[in-house]
Amino acid sequence: MPSNKSVSDAPIVQFTNCRILRDHQLQREDLWVREGKILNPEKLFFDEKGSADVQLDCKDSIIAPGFIDVQINGGFGVDFSLATDDFKSGIDLVSQKILSHGVTSFCPTLVTSPSSVYHQVLPQISVRNGGTHGAGILGVHLEGPFISKEKKGAHPEHCLRTFEAGAFQDLLATYGSLDCVQIVTLAPEMRRSSEVIRELTKRGICVSLGHSVANLSQAEEAVQHGATFITHLFNAMLPFHHRDPGIVGLLTSDRIPAGRRVFYGMISDGIHTNPAALRIAHRAHPKGLVLVTDAIAGMGLAPGRHTLGQQVVEIDGLNTYIAGTKTLSGSVATMDTCVRHFQEATGCSVETALEAASLHPAQLLGIEHKKGTLNYDSDADFLMLNDSLYVQATYIAGEEVWRQDVSGM
């Protein structure tokens, strides 16, 4: 038997009658999947003389890469910044529930907390692949406590920290471990932040600038030391000013190192950012825009009182406030809602809206060779959507993990 007859005996699934998002365009092609990866059909036909074992009619759906949420604080009554005995079951619940939003992998996010919370919670989170049990975990996003008091937003002031002598050791002592940390949000104007940014970057951890009163030159210096992300642009930072645009100015800065791209998160929920501001950012720097939910424990729950770490928050419609104030505190928007709102607010193409929630976060985390695209050999994490960008089904590693129940419609 010729050795190239078949590389693998695993079943090959062919998704037909669909439009695939590939190379920034919706292309009318079939999608071929085997062993959790996307196959090159030419290699299959000519090298292996193979064919499909199963054919699935997608009924003219859009097939797009799965969404990646790099900033989500919790949902469905679960708060990632609370150390509880059943923390693992909480993170499992959220990872299961967000499959219906099209999220196939995410970074659980902890807001500013006492050191004891990091020491209890971080060892309970591990990087893992997604599947029928839920979306994959890419690593933790630590938002604070090394942030500005003036721009603390919903973060508790008594837990904020500054960098003392031996700044990086101070950070390590605060968190306890960086083993599964993927992103750290800090304020770059803090003394000794440059050495911390360099050390984190050296370890492959993405540094994000946020909750900050940094001016543009401080932000540019942070990028030159390795920072690559901006946490929820416009929120918890100095407003744009024409003489010193602050962190916002990074979107059009000419002092970004060659070959480097600065990405920025946006909460496209219609509450945190006016549609005009969303349009300004997108037109200024379209390739850097990363949609994030910044969702809190109240996502998916009825209005009322919920938590965000050490604080009590009140949900009123789509608004979430620190109880008794008008300080916004995260969102209750789902990722698919953010994608639809972004497309509607900016008038961008369907492809652009989908890539802001898939390709761009994958590029930010340096995992675009396996996630965020439907390129050959990448992970078969993808969504079926209708033309209005409502998720109809979610697949992880080529396996259906969620489907819209249409029986009652």
Side-chain angles (χ1 to χ4, degrees):
M1 178 176 158
S3 60
N4 68 352
K5 174 71 182 80
S6 180
V7 174
S8 165
D9 292 329
I12 295 165
V13 183
Q14 178 187 9
F15 294 81
T16 66
N17 189 17
C18 53
R19 288 157 293 153
I20 302 174
L21 176 56
R22 187 177 281 152
D23 295 330
H24 317 297
Q25 289 182 317
L26 286 178
Q27 307 185 9
R28 195 163 277 288
E29 286 175 31
D30 292 353
L31 187 75
W32 298 76
V33 174
R34 176 175 62 197
E35 288 187 314
K37 299 285 183 187
I38 292 165
L39 279 183
N40 179 344
E42 281 194 19
K43 278 190 180 169
L44 177 67
F45 303 147
F46 297 116
D47 297 355
E48 299 183 37
K49 309 288 187 277
S51 58
D53 298 292
V54 181
Q55 279 192 328
L56 289 175
D57 182 351
C58 301
K59 304 190 169 88
D60 204 35
S61 295
I62 291 169
I63 292 190
F67 298 150
I68 299 169
D69 193 352
V70 299
Q71 187 174 9
I72 170 171
N73 310 290
F76 313 99
V78 176
D79 185 341
F80 298 147
S81 303
L82 284 185
T84 57
D85 294 337
D86 59 347
F87 185 87
K88 281 196 165 122
S89 61
I91 207 163
D92 288 349
L93 174 74
V94 174
S95 63
Q96 173 71 58
K97 292 274 201 179
I98 57 179
L99 294 173
S100 66
H101 309 158
V103 177
T104 53
S105 43
F106 70 109
C107 294
T109 304
L110 275 68
V111 295
T112 296
S113 302
S115 190
S116 58
V117 169
Y118 299 116
H119 287 245
Q120 283 174 272
V121 168
L122 289 179
Q124 298 189 68
I125 305 177
S126 48
V127 173
R128 68 181 187 204
N129 292 327
T132 48
H133 59 276
I137 296 175
L138 299 169
V140 180
H141 180 168
L142 297 174
E143 187 187 0
F146 301 97
I147 57 172
S148 156
K149 192 165 69 171
E150 293 86 350
K151 291 293 177 185
K152 65 183 188 295
H155 293 238
E157 188 170 328
H158 70 277
C159 296
L160 299 183
R161 302 285 293 264
T162 54
F163 294 122
E164 304 307 324
F168 188 70
Q169 290 310 312
D170 190 32
L171 176 139
L172 274 179
T174 300
Y175 295 142
S177 165
L178 293 173
D179 285 354
C180 70
V181 173
Q182 184 73 259
I183 303 172
V184 172
T185 293
L186 53 78
E189 72 276 13
M190 297 179 89
R191 286 181 59 209
R192 307 186 182 90
S193 66
S194 294
E195 63 181 271
V196 172
I197 294 169
R198 281 197 301 271
E199 285 295 330
L200 288 169
T201 306
K202 211 186 285 180
R203 286 163 169 75
I205 293 170
C206 164
V207 174
S208 189
L209 311 179
H211 288 277
S212 161
V213 291
N215 59 34
L216 179 55
S217 67
Q218 288 168 327
E220 287 170 333
E221 189 184 337
V223 171
Q224 284 151 14
H225 288 299
T228 52
F229 195 38
I230 303 170
T231 297
H232 44 52
L233 187 77
F234 297 124
N235 289 282
M237 60 188 61
L238 292 177
F240 178 90
H241 189 281
H242 57 284
R243 277 194 289 278
D244 192 333
I247 290 177
V248 177
L250 288 176
L251 271 61
T252 56
S253 168
D254 58 1
R255 295 191 58 209
I256 307 299
R260 180 94 62 76
R261 185 187 305 178
V262 173
F263 292 89
Y264 58 97
M266 294 217 76
I267 310 167
S268 168
D269 61 354
I271 306 288
H272 279 77
T273 315
N274 184 285
L278 194 55
R279 287 191 286 275
I280 287 170
H282 176 245
R283 289 174 195 175
H285 185 27
K287 288 193 162 83
L289 194 147
V290 173
L291 292 176
V292 299
T293 60
D294 198 18
I296 61 168
M299 176 180 66
L301 301 181
R305 291 202 159 201
H306 303 283
T307 65
L308 176 61
Q310 309 297 304
Q311 313 262 47
V312 176
V313 298
E314 279 182 281
I315 297 177
D316 176 13
L318 281 178
N319 293 291
T320 64
Y321 302 110
I322 294 289
T325 76
K326 286 297 175 193
T327 301
L328 281 176
S329 56
S331 88
V332 288
T334 61
M335 183 57 93
D336 54 322
T337 308
C338 291
V339 170
R340 290 190 295 272
H341 179 264
F342 171 56
Q343 204 234 338
E344 193 182 322
T346 61
C348 70
S349 67
V350 162
E351 292 94 332
T352 296
L354 293 168
E355 286 185 342
S358 55
L359 174 63
H360 296 176
Q363 289 172 328
L364 165 73
L365 300 178
I367 56 172
E368 69 272 25
H369 58 289
K370 56 182 180 176
K371 303 217 181 273
T373 77
L374 298 177
N375 294 342
Y376 303 140
D377 297 324
S378 56
D379 295 350
D381 298 356
F382 58 89
L383 315 174
M384 286 187 196
L385 307 106
N386 64 18
D387 284 357
S388 302
L389 301 185
Y390 283 87
V391 180
Q392 299 169 317
T394 303
Y395 286 76
I396 293 181
E399 190 178 356
E400 184 181 292
V401 293
W402 181 83
R403 178 166 287 276
Q404 175 72 54
D405 179 13
V406 290
S407 57
M409 292 171 72

